[in-house]
Amino acid sequence: MMKMTEQAASFLKKEMAEKKEDTLRFYNLAGCCHPTLTAEFEPAEDGDKIEIVEHIRIAIEQAVVDDLKDVTIGIDDSGEEVELVLDGYVFPDACDCEEHDHQ
């Protein structure tokens, strides 16, 4: 089961309230060499696994359920934008395609 830091929960609850969203969804997006894990505020789709973590509804595409089962969601607010951090997620190795931003 996924976990979440208090800082991430507070940030996500605020963002979801401002955007009037009720679900954070994780899914794979086609990439040049392999699928890329993506997270967005959007409704769950048929077949998604639903988890409630720190009172936040999370939808997880079946293809990434096993990849995220022991992940802790955190945030990094040290840059210009706040980024989600998935502690425990193993990113696939980068490939030699033209798209260098794989993570």
Side-chain angles (χ1 to χ4, degrees):
M1 173 172 253
M2 294 179 88
K3 297 179 184 85
M4 186 178 304
T5 66
E6 287 182 32
Q7 185 182 21
S10 177
F11 171 77
L12 289 170
K13 287 174 187 174
K14 180 178 171 235
E15 286 291 303
M16 293 171 89
E18 287 177 7
K19 297 178 187 314
K20 296 180 173 52
E21 297 287 348
D22 68 355
T23 304
L24 174 63
R25 182 169 187 264
F26 287 92
Y27 61 96
N28 271 336
L29 191 63
C32 59
C33 299
H34 44 70
T36 302
L37 181 65
T38 304
E40 293 190 60
F41 296 124
E42 63 179 43
E45 293 190 5
D46 288 343
D48 284 355
K49 178 181 180 184
I50 305 299
E51 290 191 18
I52 306 298
V53 182
E54 297 296 325
H55 305 287
I56 295 173
R57 184 173 192 255
I58 299 176
I60 307 168
E61 180 183 51
Q62 284 298 320
V64 296
V65 166
D66 287 341
D67 297 339
L68 297 177
K69 67 182 176 186
D70 295 321
V71 166
T72 299
I73 302 170
I75 59 169
D76 177 0
D77 58 2
S78 63
E80 291 182 23
E81 292 185 19
V82 176
E83 295 181 8
L84 282 183
V85 175
L86 301 177
D87 187 29
Y89 178 73
V90 178
F91 286 92
D93 292 334
C95 58
D96 294 328
C97 68
E98 296 298 315
E99 296 178 32
H100 298 288
D101 188 18
H102 290 285
Q103 298 181 14

